[in-house]
């Protein structure tokens, strides 16, 4: 009983419920929603797999975003960094029709990740060193990032014919699970490791709650801020590889478009507050999956893609309202009144 | 002491107050007469601030009744109680740090001009006038509040409270960071208000002040009501006994702790160190196993010297040597590696990480020092936290309680624990006993001396309370205008000598 009570009050409660409701809706209204089957080539197939697969990039971005938001900051450049990363990778591989890469695949991957990290260093410098407000600081790269990606690809959409490139966004031959899911899983492991086995989590939260006191306690505030933006850049770089591979091309204008907003939403859905402080990795992951489930559900019940954002907004508004302190307070008062009435009767 | 019904401006009866998991007040009674100064006393965490907050509507009582000025009231918010005529200075100064001094004083009741626009000029002029007339301080009221130290912020909060018309004035530890001069000034104001028939609730851990200014006292222990007494009829020692709930003897409280004999070896030396506007040409040393005091008035630069030593501010001139070796000091971490620790004065701004647990607050400095990858296993963290909770008798429901939910004095203890945990060679304590109850205060003073003696730890003790420094320090540096003017040693240390030295009339034997 105590366990149950603990659970209902835990921060994971809400995002989990939201997800559960969505899944229930699907179970009732969408045929064969939960069926997972194996295709001829041995790959797994089905809606749940599809959701996790498509949520992978979002999960990765949201992980980086969680740390950033926990320090009291925000990184709205991640969508653009996805485009930069994708462009870098495609540029390195080249668009040769014969499928011969210009540079070895591994070099291209490292270059793309480096592009993400460099973007992170840029953001980190502005926020940590020059103390520019995070929203403004990352806005710079958000607006210029796609331009940079254009420059990299010379304004063209480079299409890559090198087959292994498609493995990242698809399946590695002989592996049942989509590669993106594996990458997302590894990133989750990395983040859980950082959270549990290092004191990074303590430092991040401490900086997010009270930077002055943190400094007095010896926490290297600047270094912590730097670290979270670099990590966010790295996450965006990784997501860029997946997004680029999905369409096998560098599309500077559309790769990762609006993904920063979904990432921020995933983090807040997960219970981490925008003012910084306590963060919830588990919540973030569930938040990201919820957003993707919502999208998939809408498609499944035939909502056209131009109406999708509106419906998404309504659902999210609902969830965020239920989560808000004010609402919780109203609910508490209501409960209190009920119990008082019961006591009087 | 039969109190006539109509004598009472305030009657609080059978007050209960719960926090999730904690019963902070149990069946508390509190009566306040018209025109009296009434003290609330009790150990840290006894429930004094909570009782005040129940009265002002910050918290809602679970049970009981409040009768104010003949009517039953149910204050729902601080604003409501303010409008009813209850003016409050809370323990944690609750002003807006990024507004100007004048704005802070007049927020919500700004003087208006012809077109209902805020009349800034009048506002600034009135603020300046108010601070000058009432409290005798002259500062630039157009500067943001953050610019001034805690003590000044406290004065500003007081000015704001007394400037609004009220029937009850509540002061929750207003003097904790004030010097004697400002305290005297405040008492003058309190006496004037009392003569005007205003009732005052005054919370403080300074017995001296309680006996000087208050008429009656209500004592709380562990959230329960012990009794209300006339101070004239209650000897100090009995008051303390009632607070602690056990019989104690005089010498246990006022005992002058045996001073350690300083050794010859220096731990830290500074040579002509200057920080522009903060520290002027400072040459001094601190020996191993010695307790050194910094004496001086408010704003004399004691805290600034401590901050320089710890690397919060960077020197522009001079050298600092630790263990005889010159060190470069760019950040607190540099000095933490040299085994320095600094317990800052401003608890809320520079001390606590409010939304972290007591455990996390205790291990923070140690963990920062060890670096990110030397993560302390959870059971070690728990052990360490429990050890210090026990050692310093920190009143918590459990170690995972958020530090912001502790009483002021207990927060202070957690910060001291944070630094003790780093096992420093030099511990700088800036007003360590601020807001700490009498019993624990003696313990902390004793702890400082014991650490020096047994572990050869050097301690810097900064306190506005002379008596405390006399009890603990074997040497006192006198600071004035950011400069060291003299030193007092061993037997010449006395309250009188310190005051004379600060005034420049005594130059020490050496
Ligand atoms: N917001 C809160 N949530 C939970 N517990 C609280 C909260 N505020 C106070 N408490 C608890 O209530 C008790 C009384 O606290 P209170 O602040 O009233 O003490 P106090 O007598 O003012 O002590 P001090 O002298 O240290 O200021 C403490 O045990 C404290 O831990
Ligand atoms: Mg208090």
């Amino acid at each position: 009983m105590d366990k149950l009570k603990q659970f209902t009050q835990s921060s994971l409660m809400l995002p989990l419920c939201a997800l559960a409701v969505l899944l229930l809706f699907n179970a009732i209204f969408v045929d064969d929603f939960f069926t997972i089957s194996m295709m001829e080539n041995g790959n797994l197939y089905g809606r749940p797999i599809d959701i996790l697969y498509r949520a992978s990039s979002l999960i990765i971005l949201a992980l980086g975003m969680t740390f950033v938001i926990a320090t009291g900051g925000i990184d709205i450049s991640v969508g653009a960094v996805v485009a930069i990363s994708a462009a870098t990778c495609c540029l390195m591989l080249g668009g040769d029709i014969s499928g011969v890469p210009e540079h070895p695949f591994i070099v291209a991957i490292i270059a793309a990740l480096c592009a993400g990290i460099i973007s992170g260093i840029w953001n980190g410098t502005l926020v940590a060193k020059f103390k520019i407000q995070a929203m403004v600081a990352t806005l710079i790269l958000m607006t210029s990032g796609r331009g940079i990606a254009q420059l990299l690809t010379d304004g063209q959409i480079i299409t890559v014919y090198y087959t292994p490139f498609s493995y990242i966004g698809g399946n590695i031959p002989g592996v049942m699970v989509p590669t993106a899911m594996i990458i997302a899983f590894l990133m989750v492991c990395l983040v859980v490791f950082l959270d549990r086995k290092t004191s990074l989590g303590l430092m991040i939260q401490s900086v997010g709650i009270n930077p002055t006191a943190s400094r007095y306690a010896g926490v290297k505030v600047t270094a912590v801020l730097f670290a979270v933006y670099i990590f966010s850049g790295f996450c965006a770089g990784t997501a860029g590889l997946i997004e680029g591979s999905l369409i096998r091309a560098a599309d500077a204008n559309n790769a990762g478009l609006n993904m920063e907003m979904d990432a921020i939403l995933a983090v807040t859905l997960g219970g981490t507050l925008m003012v910084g402080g306590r963060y919830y990795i588990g919540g973030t992951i569930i938040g990201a999956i919820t957003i993707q489930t919502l999208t998939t559900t809408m498609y499944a019940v035939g909502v056209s893609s131009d109406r999708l954002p509106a419906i998404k907004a309504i659902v999210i508004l609902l969830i965020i309202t239920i989560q808000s302190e004010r609402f919780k307070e109203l609910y508490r008062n209501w409960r209190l009144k009920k119990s008082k009435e019961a006591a009087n009767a | 002491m039969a109190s006539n019904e109509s004598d009472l401006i305030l009657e609080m009866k059978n007050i209960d107050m719960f926090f999730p998991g904690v019963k902070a007040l149990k069946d508390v009674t509190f009566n306040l007469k018209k025109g009296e100064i009434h003290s609330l006393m009790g150990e840290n965490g006894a429930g004094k601030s909570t009782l005040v907050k129940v009265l002002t509507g910050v918290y809602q009582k679970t049970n009981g009744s409040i009768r104010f000025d003949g009517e039953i009231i149910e204050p729902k918010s601080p604003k409501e109680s303010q409008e009813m005529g209850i003016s409050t200075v809370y323990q944690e100064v609750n002003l807006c740090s990024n507004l100007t001094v004048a704005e802070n004083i007049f927020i919500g009741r700004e003087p208006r001009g012809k077109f209902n626009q805020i009349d800034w000029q009048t506002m600034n002029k009135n603020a300046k006038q108010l601070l000058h007339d009432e409290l005798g301080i002259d500062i630039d009221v157009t500067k943001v509040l953050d610019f001034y130290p805690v003590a000044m912020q406290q004065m500003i909060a007081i000015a704001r409270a007394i400037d609004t018309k009220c029937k009850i004035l509540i002061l929750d530890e207003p003097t904790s960071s004030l010097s004697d001069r400002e305290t005297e000034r405040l008492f003058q104001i309190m006496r004037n208000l009392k003569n005007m028939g205003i009732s005052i609730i005054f919370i403080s851990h300074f017995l001296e002040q309680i006996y000087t200014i208050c008429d009656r006292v209500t004592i709380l222990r562990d959230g329960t009501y012990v009794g209300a007494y006339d101070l004239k009829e209650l000897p100090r020692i009995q008051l303390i006994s009632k607070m602690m709930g056990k019989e104690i003897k005089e010498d246990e409280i006022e005992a002058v702790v045996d001073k350690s004999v300083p050794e010859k070896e220096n731990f830290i030396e500074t040579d002509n160190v200057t920080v522009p506007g903060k520290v002027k040409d400072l040459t001094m040393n601190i020996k191993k196993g010695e307790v050194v005091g910094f004496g001086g008035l408010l704003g004399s630069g004691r805290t600034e010297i401590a901050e320089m030593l710890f690397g919060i501010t960077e020197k522009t001139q001079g050298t600092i040597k630790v263990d005889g070796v010159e060190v470069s000091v760019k950040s607190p971490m540099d000095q933490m590696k040299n085994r320095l620790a600094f317990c800052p004065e401003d608890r809320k701004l520079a001390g606590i990480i409010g939304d972290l647990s007591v455990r996390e607050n205790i291990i923070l400095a140690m963990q920062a020092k060890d670096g990110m990858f030397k993560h302390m296993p959870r059971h070690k963290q728990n052990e360490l936290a429990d050890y210090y909770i026990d050692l310093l008798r920190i009143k918590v429901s459990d170690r995972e309680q958020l530090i912001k939910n502790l009483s002021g004095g207990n927060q202070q203890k957690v910060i001291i624990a944070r630094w003790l945990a780093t096992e420093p060679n030099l511990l700088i304590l800036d007003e360590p006993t601020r807001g700490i109850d009498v019993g624990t205060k003696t313990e902390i003073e004793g702890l400082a001396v014991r650490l020096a003696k047994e572990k050869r730890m050097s301690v810097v003790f900064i306190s506005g309370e002379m008596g405390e420094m006399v009890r603990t320090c074997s040497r006192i540096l006198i600071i004035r205008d950011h400069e060291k003017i003299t030193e007092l040693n061993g037997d010449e240390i006395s309250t009188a000598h310190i005051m004379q030295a600060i005034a420049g009339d005594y130059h020490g034997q050496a």
Side-chain angles (χ1 to χ4, degrees), chain A residues 285-300:
Chain A
I285 297 168
I286 295 168
I289 295 173
T290 308
I291 292 176
Q292 188 56 49
T293 310
L294 184 61
T295 313
T296 308
T297 310
M298 290 300 126
Y299 282 132

Side-chain angles (χ1 to χ4, degrees), chain B residues 277-375:
Chain B
K278 301 202 159 164
V279 180
K280 240 190 260 170
D281 204 23
L282 179 74
T283 302
M284 61 133 201
N285 59 59
I286 295 165
K287 300 191 173 63
K288 287 184 181 161
E290 173 183 47
V291 185
V292 178
F294 289 176
L297 296 176
L298 210 76
S300 58
R302 292 166 302 175
T303 297
E304 281 89 342
I305 294 178
E307 289 182 341
M308 176 275 292
L309 287 176
F310 192 61
I312 305 271
T313 51
E314 258 184 77
K315 63 176 167 40
T316 51
Q317 267 174 51
T319 54
I320 301 177
K321 281 186 193 165
V322 175
D323 273 328
V325 186
E326 188 178 337
V327 290
S328 117
V329 180
K330 298 240 175 294
S331 72
M333 187 47 77
D334 291 337
Q335 287 298 59
M336 281 163 73
K337 294 221 173 89
N338 293 326
R339 311 203 65 161
L340 268 74
F342 174 49
C343 205
E345 167 189 28
D346 191 339
R347 178 167 64 222
K348 195 173 167 195
L349 183 79
I352 65 166
I353 315 282
D355 279 315
L356 290 187
S357 67
V358 170
R359 168 182 57 84
E360 288 166 314
N361 268 284
I362 289 179
I363 65 157
L364 182 63
M366 202 179 172
Q367 196 65 75
K369 192 174 153 193
D370 284 352
M372 203 182 106
F373 292 105
K374 264 206 202 149
H375 190 54

Side-chain angles (χ1 to χ4, degrees), chain B residues 48-49 91 172-173 407-408:
Chain B
K48 305 178 294 290
S49 301
Q91 184 171 10
D172 192 352
E173 299 198 29
S407 79

Side-chain angles (χ1 to χ4, degrees), chain B residues 81 143 194 462:
Chain B
S81 64
K143 283 230 163 65
K194 177 181 160 176
I462 304 176

Side-chain angles (χ1 to χ4, degrees), chain B residues 44-64:
Chain B
N44 295 130
K48 305 178 294 290
S49 301
T50 308
L51 185 65
V52 163
K53 287 181 185 165
V54 164
L55 173 59
T56 60
V58 176
Y59 300 142
Q60 262 70 52
K61 60 181 167 20
T62 331
N63 239 324

Side-chain angles (χ1 to χ4, degrees), chain A residues 193-200 202-203 205-207 209-210 212-220 276-278, chain B residues 307 310 312 332-333 336 342 348-353 355-357 360 364-365 367-368 371-373 375 418-419:
Chain A
F193 171 80
L194 288 175
D195 180 50
R196 292 280 159 83
K197 296 291 171 205
T198 73
S199 48
L200 186 69
L202 179 67
M203 304 298 154
Q205 295 180 25
S206 157
V207 168
I209 297 165
N210 188 343
T212 310
S214 303
R215 195 165 88 87
Y216 274 76
V219 177
K220 292 178 184 145
R278 291 262 174 224
Chain B
E307 289 182 341
F310 192 61
I312 305 271
M333 187 47 77
M336 281 163 73
F342 174 49
K348 195 173 167 195
L349 183 79
I352 65 166
I353 315 282
D355 279 315
L356 290 187
S357 67
E360 288 166 314
L364 182 63
Q367 196 65 75
M372 203 182 106
F373 292 105
H375 190 54
R418 173 191 293 169
W419 290 108

Side-chain angles (χ1 to χ4, degrees), chain B residues 19-20 22-25 42-51 53 59 91 172-173 203 205 220 395-397 401 404-411 435-437:
Chain B
F19 288 113
V22 191
K23 193 159 186 184
L25 296 175
E43 294 188 299
N44 295 130
K48 305 178 294 290
S49 301
T50 308
L51 185 65
K53 287 181 185 165
Y59 300 142
Q91 184 171 10
D172 192 352
E173 299 198 29
I203 301 178
H205 288 291
L220 299 180
K395 192 166 177 268
V396 293
S397 54
Q401 194 176 3
K404 67 173 182 193
N405 291 342
L406 296 192
S407 79
N410 284 303
Q411 292 179 359
I436 293 224
D437 66 55

